[in-house]
Amino acid sequence: MSAELIPIIAFISGAMVTAILSSLSVSRAVKEQQEILKRGQVAHGRILHIWRPKLRGAFARIYFEFEPPGMDTVRGCHIDRRPAEELRASLPAVGTTVAVRYLPDQPNQAVIARLVSRFTD
């Protein structure tokens, strides 16, 4: 094997490993969101801020707050892992009231119910 090919092979191998790990991470996060949606309790929340990334392939982040019964206000960040073309028209506006699902024993693990993908890759 030529010495000139080693850096190219190393770069391609690194890119492939990174892509695989990224895909596994996204799949795991989607499953966690779906689990919170299934097991979580409902509360009403309010959208505080929406960050739309300029980088293609990055996920939008929706910052919200809600008050679980008997607890202080909790602030959270929902990472919207839906495809960009699907989420453009359906992101809630800042100030909108939304249904939040959260785990009672860990209220910082919360999602905006209608934004959780019901499908896995």
Side-chain angles (χ1 to χ4, degrees):
M1 182 180 313
S2 173
E4 293 103 20
L5 291 179
I6 292 176
I8 294 170
I9 292 171
F11 174 78
I12 292 171
S13 298
M16 288 174 54
V17 167
T18 300
I20 291 168
L21 291 175
S22 176
S23 177
L24 290 173
S25 174
V26 168
S27 293
R28 186 189 81 238
V30 167
K31 287 177 184 172
E32 287 174 2
Q33 286 183 337
Q34 290 172 338
E35 189 63 28
I36 293 169
L37 188 66
K38 277 193 261 183
R39 294 188 2 215
Q41 293 187 357
V42 178
H44 293 288
R46 184 174 60 92
I47 303 298
L48 301 173
H49 177 72
I50 298 174
W51 179 74
R52 292 180 176 93
K54 304 229 183 300
L55 181 64
R56 182 160 172 74
F59 300 117
R61 279 138 174 89
I62 300 97
Y63 297 92
F64 62 95
E65 67 180 7
F66 68 102
E67 195 169 320
M71 297 182 202
D72 291 333
T73 299
V74 176
R75 288 188 175 199
C77 175
H78 178 99
I79 300 174
D80 197 342
R81 292 181 168 84
R82 296 175 299 158
E85 61 275 358
E86 184 181 330
L87 68 88
R88 291 277 180 229
S90 64
L91 285 179
V94 172
T96 303
T97 299
V98 291
V100 173
R101 289 254 182 189
Y102 68 97
L103 299 178
D105 54 331
Q106 296 175 312
N108 60 333
Q109 290 194 4
V111 296
I112 299 170
R114 73 180 185 101
L115 299 182
V116 175
S117 174
R118 275 128 177 110
F119 307 102
T120 57
D121 297 0

